[in-house]
């Protein structure tokens, strides 16, 4: 069973950037499609971005297209989410997930989450 640990969250001003990382252990990252999800206070968890096992395909929520980029380094067992031009509405707990690809990531495993707060 793969374990996922996110890092890189924090407080940033509107318009700023952050890069989230998700390190995997107990399994081979290349066996999984990977995704980033987020959950804002009082809202449900939503998909932000996903990437296939070999990185050939990606998928983004409309709200983050052109601002966020998902990437992976299978040799380092790590997935990244580069977030630029951040907005206050991006404030949420961000979760890394591993699973299978069905036009997007269907998660089987979750990380514990990392808080991202964007101030206006």
């Amino acid at each position: 069973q793969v374990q996922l640990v996110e890092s890189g969250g924090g407080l940033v001003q509107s318009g700023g950037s952050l890069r989230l990382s998700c390190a995997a252990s107990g399994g081979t990252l290349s066996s999984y499609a990977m995704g980033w999800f987020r959950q804002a206070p009082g809202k449900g968890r939503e998909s932000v971005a996903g990437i296939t096992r070999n990185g050939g395909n990606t998928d983004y929520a409309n709200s983050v297209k052109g601002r966020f980029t998902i990437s992976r380094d299978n040799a380092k067992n790590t997935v990244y989410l580069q977030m630029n031009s951040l907005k206050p509405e991006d404030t949420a707990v961000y979760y890394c997930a591993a699973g299978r690809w069905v036009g997007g990531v269907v998660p089987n495993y979750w990380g514990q989450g990392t808080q991202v707060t964007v101030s206006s």
Side-chain angles (χ1 to χ4, degrees):
Q1 180 171 338
V2 64
Q3 290 84 44
L4 305 171
V5 178
E6 302 94 335
S7 61
L11 173 64
V12 63
Q13 288 188 332
S14 182
S17 298
L18 283 174
R19 189 175 84 152
L20 305 183
S21 298
C22 172
S25 61
T28 304
L29 197 71
S30 60
S31 299
Y32 301 96
M34 299 297 297
W36 288 95
F37 293 73
R38 68 186 181 187
Q39 187 166 15
K43 296 188 177 181
R45 192 171 297 189
E46 63 172 352
S47 175
V48 174
I51 189 167
T52 52
R53 290 189 300 168
N54 64 1
N57 284 334
T58 57
D59 181 65
Y60 295 93
N62 287 335
S63 58
V64 307
K65 279 181 182 177
R67 300 189 298 122
F68 290 12
T69 302
I70 188 170
S71 61
R72 64 191 299 159
D73 186 337
N74 287 341
K76 294 183 178 180
N77 259 8
T78 303
V79 177
Y80 305 97
L81 185 68
Q82 178 67 43
M83 305 186 295
N84 298 328
S85 303
L86 283 161
K87 305 175 181 180
E89 51 264 43
D90 294 317
T91 295
V93 178
Y94 283 71
Y95 297 90
C96 175
R100 56 193 177 94
W101 186 264
V102 186
V105 176
V106 178
N108 293 111
Y109 305 104
W110 294 94
Q112 84 288 350
T114 186
Q115 177 70 47
V116 171
T117 303
V118 184
S119 63
S120 57

